[in-house]
Amino acid sequence: MDVLAAVLGFVGGVLAGLFGVGGGILFVPTLVLVLGLTQVHAEATSLLAILPTVLVGAWRQHRHGNVDWRAALFVGLGSVAGVEGGVLLAKALPEHTLRRLFAVFTLLVAANLAWRALRPKPAYSSKGDSA
């Protein structure tokens, strides 16, 4: 189980570095299905496991000048407040409801990404460069 968890962490880290997505999209379903955690425990474990990836990713992106620190501060503060409310809500909901909500959210994100990837691109970007 430890090796599987390490492989999951590696794949989640690659996805986070490549696409800028949180590993939770991969971690949570795997922790539930493969490791047998409850939805709440999988979500909490995923949040903790992603911290090293976030720190290293932010440091690396900062070195390339890609971090907007002001935006990060406000997003971070809002996230802290949101996590507190989300934990209370997650603990109050039945397990099956929480799993369904996670599935619907994941499908909505996937549909949005597919829509953006498949829609026609404009001939020129807003900066006047060719696309």
Side-chain angles (χ1 to χ4, degrees), residues 12-70:
V14 169
L15 291 174
L18 184 62
F19 298 117
V21 298
I25 205 77
L26 175 67
F27 290 154
V28 172
T30 304
L31 290 170
V32 169
L33 295 173
V34 177
L35 300 183
L37 273 64
T38 66
Q39 186 73 21
V40 171
H41 287 112
E43 291 169 2
T45 301
S46 174
L47 286 171
L48 182 59
I50 201 69
L51 284 177
T53 305
V54 167
L55 295 173
V56 171
W59 172 68
R60 295 284 299 166
Q61 291 294 343
H62 168 68
R63 291 182 65 206
H64 293 287
N66 296 331
V67 177
D68 181 334
W69 290 103
R70 180 178 161 85

Side-chain angles (χ1 to χ4, degrees), residues 53-110:
T53 305
V54 167
L55 295 173
V56 171
W59 172 68
R60 295 284 299 166
Q61 291 294 343
H62 168 68
R63 291 182 65 206
H64 293 287
N66 296 331
V67 177
D68 181 334
W69 290 103
R70 180 178 161 85
L73 174 67
F74 285 104
V75 169
L77 291 173
S79 295
V80 169
V83 164
E84 289 300 319
V87 167
L88 294 173
L89 184 59
K91 296 293 279 185
L93 292 173
E95 176 81 9
H96 68 277
T97 302
L98 195 56
R99 284 187 186 187
R100 286 184 180 135
L101 287 172
F102 184 82
V104 168
F105 176 73
T106 303
L107 289 172
L108 289 173
V109 169

